[in-house]
Amino acid sequence: MANVNVFNMAGEIVGTMELSDTIFGADINGAVLHAAVRAYLLNQRQGTQSTLTRTEVSGGGKKPWRQKGTGRARQGSTRAPQWTHGGIALGPKPRTYKTGMNKKTKRVALFSALSAKVAEGKLIVVDDIVCETYKTKNMTAMLAALKVDTRALIVLPEVNAFTIKSCANIQRVETTLVNTLNVYEIMKADKMVITAAAVKKLEEVYNK
């Protein structure tokens, strides 16, 4: 098992913690990581783009001119695609981009992402994050003490409105809960700050 230092909010080492090899020491599977990130991004797409066909554009009910004798091409409607203000031929219509991954593959991807953070020394374990008021300054001070000056992800064991709101105004810092943690968020962050309670919760869930 890998041992990591446990810090407090002042950036001081207050102990060590053993991390499960199953979750934080797994083989890093690049192909599965790529598939998980791609699936996440596809599932964020709404697919609501839509264009109007000639049957959906208002107007055009009257034939522009008679069929024969004018010397011009025959036309049945001013809403045909070749006309200005006409309908769009073969344009996009609402569709779904949803894609899925089976539970086993999702788990492999999550373990790979967490293991990569540990291997790169970019996972920081904090004994607890205590925030009793809405104060961005407190969270900024904690990140500075932990030497986190890049894009960061803070993982909490449960909802803490004070912590979440206090981090909301800090650029390139996001918060998430351990039960909604996903591979894209982990890979996007340069450093991951996680509480000891969140680590234990992860191990309880996935070491069964």
Side-chain angles (χ1 to χ4, degrees):
M1 290 188 176
N3 278 320
V4 294
N5 291 325
V6 178
F7 298 87
N8 60 18
M9 292 182 66
E12 302 165 341
I13 298 176
V14 293
T16 60
M17 187 176 197
E18 283 190 350
L19 299 178
S20 168
D21 285 339
T22 303
I23 302 172
F24 298 96
D27 293 332
I28 300 170
N29 191 322
V32 174
L33 279 175
H34 175 269
V37 171
R38 182 176 179 274
Y40 176 86
L41 293 174
L42 282 174
N43 290 334
Q44 301 309 299
R45 297 189 67 176
Q46 293 188 10
T48 53
Q49 70 274 30
S50 183
T51 52
L52 300 180
T53 65
R54 61 184 297 167
T55 61
E56 296 168 322
V57 179
S58 62
K62 181 182 178 182
K63 189 175 174 65
W65 50 76
R66 57 196 176 96
Q67 183 81 346
K68 294 178 177 294
T70 65
R72 291 179 287 188
R74 55 193 174 186
Q75 301 291 332
S77 170
T78 57
R79 296 301 181 262
Q82 73 271 19
W83 283 75
T84 302
H85 307 303
I88 303 298
L90 307 177
K93 281 293 184 183
R95 56 163 288 192
T96 177
Y97 292 90
K98 295 293 181 185
T99 183
M101 294 181 71
N102 63 56
K103 189 180 292 185
K104 186 176 179 180
T105 308
K106 282 182 181 179
R107 181 169 292 199
V108 171
L110 180 63
F111 292 175
S112 292
L114 292 170
S115 299
K117 280 289 181 279
V118 174
E120 295 168 0
K122 295 181 178 179
L123 184 134
I124 301 170
V125 180
V126 182
D127 60 347
D128 195 12
I129 298 177
V130 180
C131 197
E132 298 177 348
T133 183
Y134 298 113
K135 200 77 172 176
T136 300
K137 186 178 179 180
N138 293 345
M139 301 311 299
T140 305
M142 182 194 76
L143 293 172
L146 295 172
K147 298 180 181 178
V148 177
D149 55 0
T150 56
R151 186 182 296 276
L153 176 67
I154 298 175
V155 184
L156 304 172
E158 56 190 16
V159 175
N160 184 324
F162 292 126
T163 302
I164 294 170
K165 287 285 187 180
S166 296
C167 292
N169 289 332
I170 307 175
Q171 286 188 345
R172 301 188 299 173
V173 173
E174 296 180 2
T175 56
T176 188
L177 302 180
V178 68
N179 59 350
T180 60
L181 190 62
N182 66 71
V183 174
Y184 176 76
E185 289 177 328
I186 298 171
M187 299 304 295
K188 181 182 176 183
D190 295 317
K191 289 191 177 180
M192 181 174 166
V193 180
I194 184 170
T195 65
V199 171
K200 289 177 182 176
K201 207 166 185 179
L202 269 175
E203 294 179 346
E204 286 174 8
V205 172
Y206 292 108
N207 276 335
K208 291 180 180 179

